Amino acid sequence: MKKLKYIIAISAIFAVSSCEDYLDSENLYGKSLESFYKTPTDINEAMAGVYNAIYTTNVHSEEQIAANLMDNMMLGGGGTDDKSAKWVDNFEDPVEDTYYDMWGQSYKGIARANAIIEKTQEADFSKYFDTKEEADKFKKQAIGEALFMRAFFYFRLAKFFGGVPLIVSIDDPKNVGRSTYTETFAQIASDLKLAIETMPATPFPSIPTSSYGHANKWVAEAYLARVYLFYTGYMTNIEQQATADLPLVEGGALTATNVASYLDDCINNSGHALASDFRNLWPYSYLNKSAGKTVLPWAATNNLSWVGQDGSAPTFGTGNLETMFVQRFSFGDWGWSNGNIYTNRLCLFSAIRGNSMMPFGEGWGWCTVNPKLWSTWSDLDPRKVGSILQMGQADQGTDSYKADKGDHETGYFNKKYIALQHPNAGGSNVGMFIQMYGWSNTDMQLMHAQDFIFMRFADVLLMHSEITKSATGLNAVRSRAGLPAVGYSLDAIKEERLHEFAFEGLHWFDLVRWGDVNTAFNDSFPVRNSGTDANYSVKYRTETKGLVPIPETEMRLANGVYTQNPGW
C-alpha cells in the first residue's frame, strides 16, 4: 500500500515540546525538549510535525488558493454564498482573521524546526547506524532540512505579510516586534545558504521513495533563487529601493552570480530534468487509460502518460524527474476533528460548480479563468489546452456542461488542479485517487489526493535565465513545448512564466516582484453570475504593496507591538 494512504497518521505524529507550551504543567506524554530528539525515530516524528504545519484549517490561508484568488488570471467565482472568495479577489478583507491560520501554522512550523535544529546538534545517533558516516549524514540532513523548512515558513509569511517577528531559537521571546522586510529576508537567505551547505548532495534518482516530498539540497538551491528574485524585485519595483543583492544575517550579501552558481549546481548535479511532455505532469493525462478504456479522448489522442507523483512510481507513470518539492495530500473523513485539511482543496474549490461530468468532477467553482488568458495564448502552444479546461467540448468530456451554476463563469477552468473521476468496476463514477489508493470514503469533497507542486525543475531553468539574463533555460522550457527559440528579454521571461506556471500559485508573486501588479487589473470583461449577465472588474489598491493584513487577533495579542500593513 502506498505511503500516501498513511500521510494523515504520519503527519499527526509530533511530540509537544515546551517551545509551544506556555504553561508550567506536568508532561503526561513522556516527551519533552529534554527527553525527545534522542533517536532517528524521534527526529523523523518531529520532522513530520514540521511538515504538518504546512496544512491550514481555513481555506483562505492555503498559500496556493490565496495567491490564485488575488492573481489577475483567475477570478473569485463560487456561488452566491461564496462572498469571501469574491472579496479576496477584489482585494477586500472578508473577516478580521482571514489569514490567521497561515500566520499561526507558519509559526508552529518555525518553532518545531527551531527545536530540531538545536536539539539534533546535541544528539548522538552513532549507535543507530552501521557507520559514523551514515550517522553524520542523517544528522546533517535533519538539521539542513529543518533550516530549509524554517526558511520556507518565513518566506511564506514574508510574501504575504512583509516583515514579521523573527524567532530563531527555542529561548527567543515570543512577544517581539516585526522585523523589517530586509531583516526578514536576510534570515531566510542565511537559513537557505546554511541548509545548502549542510545537507548531503544526493542526486534525485538515489533519494529513497520514502523521502519523496521532503526538502533536500537541490530544493534549497532552487528556493534560494526564488527568494533572491522576489526580494530584489520587490525592493526595486515596489519599495523603489533598487538592489541586486540578497542580504545575509551575518553580514555581506548574495549576488546574482552567487545565486546562479547554486542553480548551476542544481541543473548539473541534482538528477532532476524536464518531463518529456508538459501535460504528463498533471494527472488528467492518466485518465486516457483508466478502467481499461479511453476516458479522456483528448489525452488519448495526444498519447499522454502521467509521470506520477511518488518519485519513480512505476505503477502510476514513467517516473517524475521534474517535480522537486510538493505538499502531499491524502483523503479525510467527516468524523475526524481536523476535518478535510489533508485533501487538496485547490482541486475541490476550483473544480466546476454544479457539474459532475466524466472525467471532471464537481467542485465549488472558485478561481474561474480569465478569458483574456485563453484569447491571448497561442494555439500552437500545447500548454494552453494542457492548462485550461474549456467547457462544451466533447473531446474534453465537458460537452454536458450546464452553465449558470455559479458566479464569474467564463467557460474556462483550471485543468491542472481539478476534480478527477472515472467509472469503477461497478460502473459508478468515483474519484480517480480514491480508486488509485483504495480509500473507502468516496465523498466528492474528500477525494483529492493530488500533490500540490511548490517547485519543479522548469522553474529552476527559467530562474537561471532571469538571473543570468541568458536564453538557455528559457529555450529549454520552450523547446519542451515545441516552440521556437527566442532571444533573452524580461518580457519573454514574463510570458514564459505565465504560460508555464499558470494556476500554480506563482503568477501573483511574479506580478508583485516585477511591479506589474500596479497596472495588472485595469481591464474588465463580461461574465455570468448565476445566470445573469454581469461585468467583471476589480480594483487593486496600490497602497497595500501586494501584502495582506496581519490577522486582527494577532494585532490585539501583540498589544501595540505590531503595526498593521498599509491599506488595511
Side-chain angles (χ1 to χ4, degrees), residues 69-72 74-77 86 89-91 368 370-371 408 410 521 523-527 529 534-538:
L69 278 175
M70 290 188 289
D71 185 23
N72 68 337
M74 304 193 89
L75 319 185
K86 300 177 185 67
D89 177 52
N90 201 42
F91 301 100
T368 52
N370 188 331
H408 294 171
T410 63
F521 298 89
D523 57 348
S524 62
F525 44 85
V527 295
N529 284 344
N535 190 63
Y536 173 88
S537 65
V538 301

Side-chain angles (χ1 to χ4, degrees), residues 9 32 49 87 100 145 154 157 187 195 200-201 226 265 270 326 340 398 464 494 544 549:
S32 66
W87 284 331
Y100 177 78
E145 200 170 333
Y154 272 125
L157 289 168
Q187 183 63 53
R226 184 174 286 177
D265 184 38
S270 69
V326 304
N340 62 347
T398 61
H464 188 273
K494 289 180 179 182
T544 64

Side-chain angles (χ1 to χ4, degrees), residues 276 278 380-383 475-485 496:
S276 60
F278 165 88
L380 299 177
D381 188 342
R383 295 172 299 184
N475 284 323
V477 174
R478 288 180 60 81
S479 177
R480 194 256 297 268
L483 300 175
E496 203 62 31

Side-chain angles (χ1 to χ4, degrees), residues 239-506:
E239 294 292 353
Q240 300 297 305
Q241 300 175 29
T243 183
D245 295 336
L246 177 62
L248 297 168
V249 170
E250 60 270 23
L254 293 173
T255 66
T257 301
N258 298 142
V259 177
S261 68
Y262 287 123
L263 291 181
D264 285 331
D265 184 38
C266 183
I267 291 168
N268 297 325
N269 300 311
S270 69
H272 286 287
L274 292 176
S276 60
D277 191 314
F278 165 88
R279 297 166 294 186
N280 287 339
L281 289 166
W282 314 107
Y284 60 66
S285 61
Y286 178 72
L287 289 168
N288 62 315
K289 46 189 174 184
S290 297
K293 62 182 180 180
T294 297
V295 175
L296 183 56
W298 169 80
T301 300
N302 287 282
N303 298 311
L304 301 184
S305 180
W306 186 36
V307 293
Q309 61 179 29
D310 287 282
S312 56
T315 303
F316 301 147
T318 57
N320 187 347
L321 296 179
E322 182 163 348
T323 296
M324 298 178 66
F325 188 60
V326 304
Q327 182 175 359
R328 303 237 66 193
F329 287 100
S330 183
F331 309 108
D333 196 281
W334 296 118
W336 296 351
S337 61
N338 55 24
N340 62 347
I341 67 171
Y342 295 113
T343 185
N344 189 334
R345 290 178 295 181
L346 178 59
C347 296
L348 170 64
F349 276 75
S350 62
I352 309 163
R353 187 174 185 88
N355 284 260
S356 182
M357 301 172 283
M358 189 184 66
F360 299 104
E362 184 176 0
W364 304 145
W366 290 21
C367 298
T368 52
V369 175
N370 188 331
K372 177 182 178 181
L373 181 59
W374 176 269
S375 64
T376 58
W377 198 335
S378 170
D379 291 335
L380 299 177
D381 188 342
R383 295 172 299 184
K384 178 178 180 176
V385 180
S387 302
I388 300 176
L389 182 62
Q390 188 180 22
M391 297 297 100
Q393 303 296 309
D395 68 334
Q396 296 289 332
T398 61
D399 49 327
S400 64
Y401 171 67
K402 302 297 183 183
D404 297 339
K405 299 291 185 179
D407 292 346
H408 294 171
E409 287 192 346
T410 63
Y412 303 104
F413 290 86
N414 160 23
K415 189 187 255 181
K416 293 177 178 177
Y417 294 100
I418 194 168
L420 296 171
Q421 61 184 5
H422 60 81
N424 63 9
S428 300
N429 283 352
V430 177
M432 168 181 160
F433 287 96
I434 292 288
Q435 297 187 57
M436 185 173 290
Y437 294 117
W439 191 248
S440 56
N441 190 330
T442 60
D443 191 305
M444 54 83 73
Q445 297 185 62
L446 305 174
M447 70 183 201
H448 312 287
Q450 180 182 345
D451 290 351
F452 178 78
I453 304 174
F454 281 119
M455 179 66 71
R456 53 188 177 91
F457 191 67
D459 204 357
V460 171
L461 296 175
L462 289 179
M463 289 190 296
H464 188 273
S465 277
E466 187 172 355
I467 290 170
T468 62
K469 295 180 171 54
S470 72
T472 304
L474 168 66
N475 284 323
V477 174
R478 288 180 60 81
S479 177
R480 194 256 297 268
L483 300 175
V486 296
Y488 174 81
S489 70
L490 182 57
D491 284 341
I493 287 287
K494 289 180 179 182
E495 181 176 353
E496 203 62 31
R497 290 188 64 84
L498 170 61
H499 293 157
E500 181 68 24
F501 302 121
F503 322 137
E504 295 182 45
L506 296 177

